[in-house]
Amino acid sequence: MTNIEARLRFDGALPRDPQVDAWFAERTDSLGMIARTWFAQMRDCGEDVVELVHDGGPVACVEDVPFAYVNAFTKHVNVGFFRGAFFPDPAALLQGTGKRMRHVKLFPGTDVDAGALAALIQAAYREAREFVAAEG
């Protein structure tokens, strides 16, 4: 699945970025809880996951390669994938028409196929790890 090409890179990611924790501390409502749940899954992908805040939301990376993010809006949360356009999506969760990025919109009180979303997070993480390893 890895395609060696110019990639989006972010400097300054940390194993546990205080700015990410501050972002969550400001969002204690249901949207913040949804975002926290899914970002925790990103953090748990592996010991090599680092994080930062970019464009107003928490981003999970492997080294400097971002693989997924969360962001809370007025009525929904996006769980986004920097290369989601390239991932299999049998549950048809991914939205967006960009060249590479896709996201899943989550709404309070609405069920999501948690297994399918977790699989997308794992796929994004694996793809980022493969990319970093191939650059080696």
Side-chain angles (χ1 to χ4, degrees):
M1 186 182 326
T2 299
N3 181 8
I4 302 296
E5 63 177 44
R7 294 285 290 258
L8 183 62
R9 307 299 266 270
F10 294 144
D11 290 330
L14 302 169
R16 187 75 180 226
D17 189 337
Q19 290 184 38
V20 171
D21 291 332
W23 189 93
F24 285 112
E26 293 175 7
R27 289 159 184 83
T28 58
D29 62 356
S30 60
L31 294 172
M33 303 302 353
I34 292 168
R36 181 183 305 270
T37 297
W38 291 104
F39 198 74
Q41 288 220 5
M42 295 171 200
R43 282 175 165 164
D44 289 344
C45 284
E47 292 181 9
D48 56 350
V49 174
V50 291
E51 61 193 44
L52 70 151
V53 173
H54 178 77
D55 280 347
V59 176
C61 304
V62 175
E63 292 185 11
D64 62 347
V65 176
F67 67 90
Y69 67 90
V70 296
N71 211 339
F73 298 94
T74 305
K75 297 185 180 202
H76 74 278
V77 169
N78 277 359
V79 177
F81 303 94
F82 288 88
R83 294 186 42 88
F86 305 105
F87 300 151
D89 180 24
L93 296 178
L94 293 171
Q95 298 180 24
T97 58
K99 195 174 188 181
R100 293 176 180 84
M101 294 182 73
R102 296 287 185 274
H103 62 273
V104 177
K105 283 187 181 180
L106 304 175
F107 297 89
T110 303
D111 290 335
V112 65
D113 184 337
L117 183 49
L120 288 169
I121 291 169
Q122 284 296 318
Y125 168 69
R126 280 191 310 272
E127 195 271 344
R129 281 192 72 184
E130 290 170 7
F131 179 83
V132 168
E135 278 196 326

